[in-house]
Amino acid sequence: MAEQPAGCDEDSVDVSVIIPVRNCRDYLDRSLTSALVQRVKKEIVVVDDGSTDGSADLLELYSHYHRGIVRVIHKKHALGAGGPRNTGLEHARGRYVFFCDADDYLGPEALERMVAMADRNGSDIVLGKIIGHGRRAPVSMFQRSVDRADLGESAVYNSLSCFKLYRREMLDRHRVRFAEGQLIGEDIVFSVHAYCHAEVISIVADYDCYHLVARPDGSSIMQQPASRDPLGWLSMISKPIELMAAHVEAGPLRDHLLRRHFRLDIFAQLGAPFLAADDMRRKEIAHEVAALCDRWLTPGVEDRLTTTDRKRLAALDDLDRLVRLAGIEAATVRRRLTGLRWEGDRLIVEGEAALEGPQRHGGLALVLRSRQEEGGELVMPADPVGESGFTATIHPGELSSGVWDFHVAVECEGVIRLARLGGERDGGITRPAPRLVGTVIALPYFTRTNGNLSLDVGGHVLTVPGSVRLTRTRWTLGHRLILDGEITVGGGGIPEAGAVRRLVWRERHTGRERAERVVALPGGVFAARPAIGRFAPGTWDAYLELELGGPPARFRIEADAGMVAEPRSWWRGPVRSSARPYATAGKGRLSTVVRKLTPMAILRRLLGGSSC
């Protein structure tokens, strides 16, 4: 969409991008440019919160050169970002608003994709995937894109930052605003209130929408140690919890939302912040946590707690026990992959794992987590080897289709610590070859970013290796080309006859496809009789499509040049047709050129030839 001209009316603005600025000059160019390149009808409302580093002058330049798009509002310095964001919201004219911090930036297609999602579904809130650069970014809610996410069933409430797309009419109707006069948590109050009134919540997870950036000098509010003071956080979080409870009646939904606050806001203060505190502050932290438990911890919430948090709950009057639990949680899980191989249809995983420090673990297990199924998890027993070694056996044929990530679980005093496996491994370990297990292709691999071990069951993210070769071709009646061939998959595996779906011919220039029936026989043999005489003119490439437990897998049909049938031509009424099967140069893959000549085309060709 083109940028709107100066003086546009309210209806022409899709998104108001609201950016509070406080001494962020070094980051402003990137942030503002990322907003300006968005292909939506937009305005950028920048609220300068009393900057003293030249940010105000730079903003005036942007406002001058982008009249009607960039609007700058100057204010005296306030405590926290809540006030400036509220000011920006009061001046916004867009159908939607998006809050962006001045040191962060948007992906080039972020608003276009989020607005499309919102318009398609009538969304009040759209969460766009957040990527962290030196800062932790939320991940649980971005496993897949969702048109309509259920607040009580999904993980959207885990994300209480304000970096989302909001329908402005919903915010104004319910007076959803930021808390003012506080350094931390002002966006939590805003987000909780917005979630309570949102009728439709959507997720864009297939694009990096928002880039969360850590300043190298650690000068942003959320990077400073004081922003995570445990007592300050426990005091702050009471307000959004009360706000949520005022809008959501007691029951499963409220318990689901309260679980988030206990897990990420309340019991989290009994982890690393608790270890860093002295004895007096530890007693105060435990007291504040106990008070919040007395107020809000229902049986429904307790049922949803992790094992670790239940143990913390039971130890609130035992500071030494809380310290030990915090130490276990903070300890590094040292792990190493020492062996990885196939034994028949079983994948054998060997490794070592232990908690760093004086803690003694009580047991080891291998945990597989599905990327496709929210909450999909399998715990595989591990046989102990020595003090910290283990061996586990995976049966890929028993796993559901999808990508499974490997973790090692270390138990200590009833607390389970989980860590990805494979990034640290012995030098001689290589990726095992893909293997056909029954009717399913299993592809072990190491992830590109961190080298962790995963298993692709069905070929969701990896290309399925295989070979489809012709053994004979010949013409038969009806201008059909008989194809006989053989199939191998995953390094020599023979697929069952039921795995062969169809023969697909794809026209190279238009992308048009024709599907033909295939007869599959035991032993990886197949036969087909495509009606080449019915093909439209063009160059058609041949594929065999198989069902191997995941998305349909296509393999180009390979052929030796001497095995391909001779060209054939025929007349159908006044039209002369021809088909020339051939093996492509290089890899020798089966294709067919089909031509049709009408009498007029033949005449033009003859006349053209005689004039030369």
Side-chain angles (χ1 to χ4, degrees):
M1 297 181 183
E3 293 180 350
Q4 72 272 24
C8 59
D9 62 19
E10 177 175 327
D11 291 338
S12 69
V13 180
D14 287 327
V15 184
S16 298
V17 182
I18 298 174
I19 306 177
V21 173
R22 170 66 182 173
N23 293 338
C24 296
R25 195 185 194 286
D26 292 343
Y27 306 92
L28 269 177
D29 278 317
R30 181 175 61 186
S31 184
L32 290 170
T33 300
S34 78
L36 284 166
V37 301
Q38 300 297 311
R39 296 180 59 191
V40 296
K41 295 177 181 178
K42 59 189 173 288
E43 65 172 0
I44 303 170
V45 182
V46 189
V47 182
D48 175 36
D49 187 27
S51 296
T52 58
D53 67 341
S55 293
D57 294 335
L58 182 59
L59 290 174
E60 289 303 324
L61 283 176
Y62 271 91
S63 176
H64 175 75
Y65 285 106
H66 299 279
R67 294 183 184 276
I69 299 176
V70 177
R71 292 194 288 146
V72 181
I73 301 164
H74 297 282
K75 291 193 65 175
K76 292 184 178 180
H77 178 45
L79 184 65
R85 286 183 182 138
N86 284 340
T87 298
L89 189 52
E90 295 298 333
H91 286 79
R93 300 174 302 183
R95 295 187 295 126
Y96 303 101
V97 296
F98 188 93
F99 298 96
C100 178
D101 276 357
D103 42 9
D104 301 331
Y105 61 97
L106 290 157
E109 300 174 19
L111 296 185
E112 182 180 6
R113 290 172 179 250
M114 286 191 280
V115 167
M117 175 70 85
D119 285 347
R120 185 168 66 249
N121 296 289
S123 312
D124 292 311
I125 302 176
V126 179
L127 289 76
K129 185 177 180 180
I130 299 176
I131 298 296
H133 301 275
R135 293 179 61 183
R136 289 186 61 184
V139 296
S140 61
M141 66 294 303
F142 296 121
Q143 301 305 303
R144 61 188 179 90
S145 295
V146 180
D147 286 348
R148 292 171 173 261
D150 190 296
L151 184 61
E153 300 293 335
S154 69
V156 294
Y157 195 73
N158 285 351
S159 173
L160 293 182
S161 70
C162 64
F163 310 128
K164 304 174 179 69
L165 188 78
Y166 299 90
R167 185 177 298 277
R168 184 168 65 88
E169 185 275 333
M170 181 269 291
L171 300 179
D172 289 344
R173 176 160 36 99
H174 298 287
R175 292 303 298 169
V176 178
R177 293 295 185 265
F178 292 86
E180 298 193 19
Q182 60 187 61
L183 280 174
I184 57 172
E186 80 291 335
D187 54 344
I188 294 180
V189 172
F190 177 90
S191 298
V192 166
H193 198 185
Y195 275 132
C196 289
H197 292 292
E199 295 183 7
V200 179
I201 303 168
S202 303
I203 304 171
V204 174
D206 57 355
Y207 183 76
D208 298 344
C209 292
Y210 192 80
H211 294 262
L212 193 65
V213 179
R215 299 190 196 179
D217 60 2
S219 60
S220 71
I221 292 175
M222 293 309 298
Q223 287 179 260
Q224 298 179 36
S227 69
R228 287 291 177 176
D229 171 67
L231 291 174
W233 194 266
L234 290 170
S235 174
M236 176 278 297
I237 204 64
S238 296
K239 181 176 179 180
I241 291 176
E242 290 173 358
L243 179 63
M244 180 274 292
H247 288 83
V248 180
E249 64 182 16
L253 175 57
R254 184 195 283 188
D255 288 342
H256 174 76
L257 304 182
L258 281 171
R259 173 186 175 271
R260 183 262 185 235
H261 289 296
F262 275 99
R263 184 169 62 91
L264 300 179
D265 296 317
I266 298 173
F267 285 124
Q269 309 312 317
L270 297 175
F274 195 76
L275 276 182
D278 57 30
D279 287 344
M280 181 60 69
R281 284 183 65 81
R282 286 173 179 170
K283 186 179 295 186
E284 293 173 345
I285 293 169
H287 176 78
E288 291 300 322
V289 169
L292 287 168
C293 289
D294 290 341
R295 178 70 179 88
W296 299 111
L297 189 67
T298 67
V301 175
E302 191 169 353
D303 288 343
R304 291 168 166 81
L305 294 180
T306 64
T307 301
T308 302
D309 286 341
R310 286 176 185 162
K311 292 187 176 299
R312 286 170 169 157
L313 178 62
L316 284 177
D317 57 353
D318 185 346
L319 293 185
D320 292 338
R321 170 74 167 148
L322 289 176
V323 170
R324 290 200 307 275
L325 292 173
I328 293 169
E329 184 186 47
T332 300
V333 180
R334 302 186 63 177
R335 69 276 191 196
R336 189 173 190 84
L337 184 65
T338 60
L340 185 64
R341 65 186 184 278
W342 287 108
E343 287 187 1
D345 289 346
R346 302 174 302 160
L347 184 63
I348 308 301
V349 180
E350 298 172 334
E352 298 173 344
L355 290 181
E356 196 172 53
Q359 296 89 355
R360 307 286 293 183
H361 70 75
L364 295 171
L366 199 64
V367 177
L368 275 62
R369 286 186 168 176
S370 170
R371 293 188 198 172
Q372 275 70 29
E373 302 174 23
E374 188 173 340
E377 181 176 282
L378 289 174
V379 179
M380 315 298 294
D383 297 326
V385 178
E387 185 175 340
S388 60
F390 67 88
T391 299
T393 301
I394 309 301
H395 299 272
E398 299 176 0
L399 299 176
S400 61
S401 180
V403 178
W404 294 84
D405 296 324
F406 284 63
H407 300 73
V408 63
V410 181
E411 183 272 332
C412 183
E413 292 196 37
V415 176
I416 306 297
R417 292 295 314 283
L418 211 63
R420 283 286 266 126
L421 180 66
E424 294 290 333
R425 56 183 181 271
D426 288 353
I429 295 179
T430 57
R431 185 177 84 175
R435 181 154 298 197
L436 191 62
V437 180
T439 60
V440 173
I441 187 70
L443 304 100
Y445 72 99
F446 296 107
T447 61
R448 182 177 302 175
T449 305
N450 298 310
N452 291 316
L453 178 62
S454 296
L455 180 64
D456 185 350
V457 179
H460 291 261
V461 297
L462 298 183
T463 300
V464 178
S467 173
V468 178
R469 294 200 63 83
L470 290 183
T471 56
R472 186 171 62 158
T473 65
R474 61 196 183 280
W475 290 102
T476 188
L477 296 175
H479 311 300
R480 290 180 176 270
L481 183 64
I482 298 180
L483 307 177
D484 296 325
E486 54 189 16
I487 315 163
T488 57
V489 175
I494 305 298
E496 296 183 1
V500 182
R501 296 187 61 194
R502 58 182 185 167
L503 175 67
V504 177
W505 292 86
R506 190 172 193 273
E507 206 288 311
R508 190 176 298 172
H509 302 292
T510 64
R512 180 185 176 190
E513 293 187 351
R514 285 183 59 98
E516 301 278 346
R517 182 172 173 267
V518 176
V519 176
L521 302 171
V525 177
F526 73 93
R529 300 172 67 245
I532 301 296
R534 299 177 183 174
F535 284 23
T539 301
W540 296 83
D541 300 322
Y543 299 81
L544 195 66
E545 191 171 272
L546 276 69
E547 174 61 62
L548 299 170
R554 285 188 179 182
F555 302 91
R556 279 288 265 128
I557 296 179
E558 302 170 12
D560 295 330
M563 188 178 296
V564 179
E566 293 295 322
R568 168 170 284 202
S569 61
W570 62 92
W571 290 89
R572 180 169 293 164
V575 178
R576 183 177 183 272
S577 301
S578 66
R580 182 174 64 85
Y582 70 99
T584 61
K587 295 185 178 180
R589 293 169 169 173
L590 179 64
S591 296
T592 299
V593 176
V594 177
R595 293 191 174 94
K596 296 184 186 294
L597 290 175
T598 63
M600 186 61 68
I602 295 173
L603 180 61
R604 280 199 298 266
R605 177 174 294 186
L606 291 174
L607 291 175
S610 64
S611 64
C612 295

